[in-house]
Amino acid sequence: MRYLHPNDFMADPSARVFNGKVYIYPSHDRDAGIPENDNGDHFDMQDYHVFSLDDIENGEVTDHGEILSVKKIAWAGRQLWDNDVAEKDGKYYLYFSLKDKNDIFRLGVAISDKPEGPFTAEDNPVKGSYSIDPSVFRDEDGSYYIYFGGIWGGQLQRYRNNKALETGGTFPAGNEPALCPKMAKLSDDMLEFAQEPRDLVILDENGRPLMQGDTKRRFFEASWMHKYKGKYYFSYSTGDTHLICYSVGDSPYGPFTYKGVILNPVVGWTTHHSIVEYKGKWYLFHHDSVPSGGKTWLRSMKVTELKYNPDGSIITVI
Ligand code: FUB
């Protein structure tokens, strides 16, 4: 286990390999002095930095500086939350979560010619986007898929069938199917959903959807997709039970079957991760609040090796 950048507070690390190097795209935590609440108002981030390294276990971590800030996003309201970057045809696309001027979370996209930025944001959010925590998966056939969503402060409960509810948000009952993360194929130009976002359904061991009351297994936020030995692994945070869990399927659309816990609770309320293969090993990037003395809104990036059993199950990181 290794802390990656002890000099500043960075969270939600999305790790990607570009041009033989690992690039990490985190949220940039700061102390905004806003009291902690269930909407996450205390996570009032204003910019992103990118980091790179070529040896995950011992290499020097380079901070390439600010790559995007709310000041440079035309539609910005507040709170620059989790992001992720995908490369296509030599261009880099940064997908981010941000509240618009009406305090509604949308997904934005910003473009650069280099993985280390700077990135220029499109003038408007991705059409039809909502909620938080975008992550982009490139399949071996060259198709790109975006996964997103988060409940509570992430506002996913305000939508059904991709439409905003007039009530302002409701949750299914505890014995009803849980709210699902969303996913869609991306358009060829990477700037739009190529299809209406769909539910990513997570089933239990009996083939039934996880229930809203199953708080140790149901989706909360922090989507991530990776492929291991031909299977699709969708992993996520359970939020208020503080676990990173995973589910496995045969297609990027699912359905997925719940398989277990990747990461036990860390210090701090949130938990968030990414999984990447580099130089023949798999790694789990995540965060905790140990260096800030437990302040939930001041998190630090960490990395540890991720190991699989021969049957493809993941060994829980304790
Ligand atoms: O960093 C702000 C939010 O906290 C992220 O978007 C969530 O996933 C949680 O880590």
Side-chain angles (χ1 to χ4, degrees):
M1 185 283 287
R2 173 180 188 202
Y3 281 104
L4 288 162
H5 185 69
N7 303 331
D8 199 353
F9 296 108
M10 301 280 163
D12 313 327
S14 295
R16 296 289 175 193
V17 178
F18 298 129
N19 311 322
K21 270 186 166 181
V22 176
Y23 287 85
I24 311 165
Y25 301 90
S27 307
H28 186 185
D29 283 356
R30 70 183 189 118
D31 200 341
I34 297 173
E36 205 171 332
N37 61 27
D38 284 352
N39 274 336
D41 286 335
H42 46 299
F43 297 114
D44 188 29
M45 295 84 101
Q46 297 187 315
D47 62 26
Y48 294 130
H49 282 221
V50 58
F51 299 83
S52 70
L53 66 170
D54 54 20
D55 171 354
I56 291 183
E57 285 162 28
N58 302 300
E60 194 183 325
V61 180
T62 303
D63 178 356
H64 296 275
E66 185 182 293
I67 55 169
L68 184 64
S69 93
V70 284
K71 286 184 277 190
K72 295 189 179 155
I73 303 171
W75 56 273
R78 63 183 181 129
Q79 294 186 286
L80 211 38
W81 284 14
D82 173 49
N83 74 92
D84 189 19
V85 172
E87 181 272 341
K88 185 178 181 187
D89 300 333
K91 284 210 181 299
Y92 297 83
Y93 299 86
L94 185 152
Y95 300 86
F96 57 92
S97 330
L98 176 67
K99 280 181 179 163
D100 66 14
K101 296 184 195 303
N102 296 315
D103 234 24
I104 303 297
F105 267 118
R106 308 275 177 208
L107 307 182
V109 55
I111 305 171
S112 177
D113 292 328
K114 298 187 295 254
E116 64 269 29
F119 287 81
T120 304
E122 293 288 290
D123 287 342
N124 293 293
V126 175
K127 210 184 303 160
S129 69
Y130 54 93
S131 199
I132 59 165
D133 288 5
S135 88
V136 173
F137 168 72
R138 181 188 188 275
D139 208 349
E140 281 150 312
D141 67 357
S143 303
Y144 291 80
Y145 300 90
I146 188 163
Y147 298 83
F148 63 95
I151 62 173
W152 293 27
Q155 303 181 343
L156 189 61
Q157 67 279 6
R158 298 187 183 187
Y159 299 83
R160 292 293 188 282
N161 302 317
N162 300 320
K163 303 247 168 346
L165 297 173
E166 294 196 354
T167 56
T170 54
F171 287 96
N175 61 356
E176 291 177 347
L179 290 176
C180 292
K182 305 293 169 191
M183 61 87 56
K185 196 171 190 177
L186 282 170
S187 57
D188 285 346
D189 66 6
M190 302 290 275
L191 301 179
E192 292 187 30
F193 299 144
Q195 52 196 193
E196 284 272 300
R198 308 172 182 202
D199 282 348
L200 184 148
V201 177
I202 306 171
L203 306 172
D204 68 13
E205 61 284 6
N206 299 311
R208 287 189 297 248
L210 296 181
M211 297 291 138
Q212 192 66 34
D214 189 352
T215 56
K216 288 201 165 156
R217 299 194 295 178
R218 62 91 176 91
F219 172 80
F220 191 102
E221 62 187 6
S223 298
W224 190 262
M225 179 70 78
H226 76 282
K227 206 169 179 179
Y228 179 76
K229 295 194 173 167
K231 294 275 186 194
Y232 297 84
Y233 285 62
F234 178 75
S235 45
Y236 55 96
S237 160
T238 61
D240 54 342
T241 51
H242 318 289
L243 300 165
I244 298 289
C245 292
Y246 75 107
S247 56
V248 176
D250 292 317
S251 136
Y253 292 97
F256 289 81
T257 301
Y258 176 87
K259 291 292 181 189
V261 173
I262 295 179
L263 178 64
N264 275 354
V266 296
V267 171
W269 199 95
T270 67
T271 186
H272 196 118
H273 73 302
S274 60
I275 295 170
V276 78
E277 186 182 22
Y278 188 62
K279 296 186 178 170
K281 288 183 176 181
W282 287 88
Y283 293 94
L284 177 77
F285 288 76
H286 65 105
H287 68 225
D288 71 24
S289 296
V290 170
S292 70
K295 291 193 178 85
T296 269
W297 59 96
L298 293 179
R299 301 161 290 179
S300 296
M301 303 190 281
K302 293 168 88 172
V303 64
T304 192
E305 193 180 343
L306 189 70
K307 295 199 170 142
Y308 298 78
N309 290 307
D311 66 359
S313 57
I314 293 177
I315 299 175
T316 305
V317 174
I318 312 274

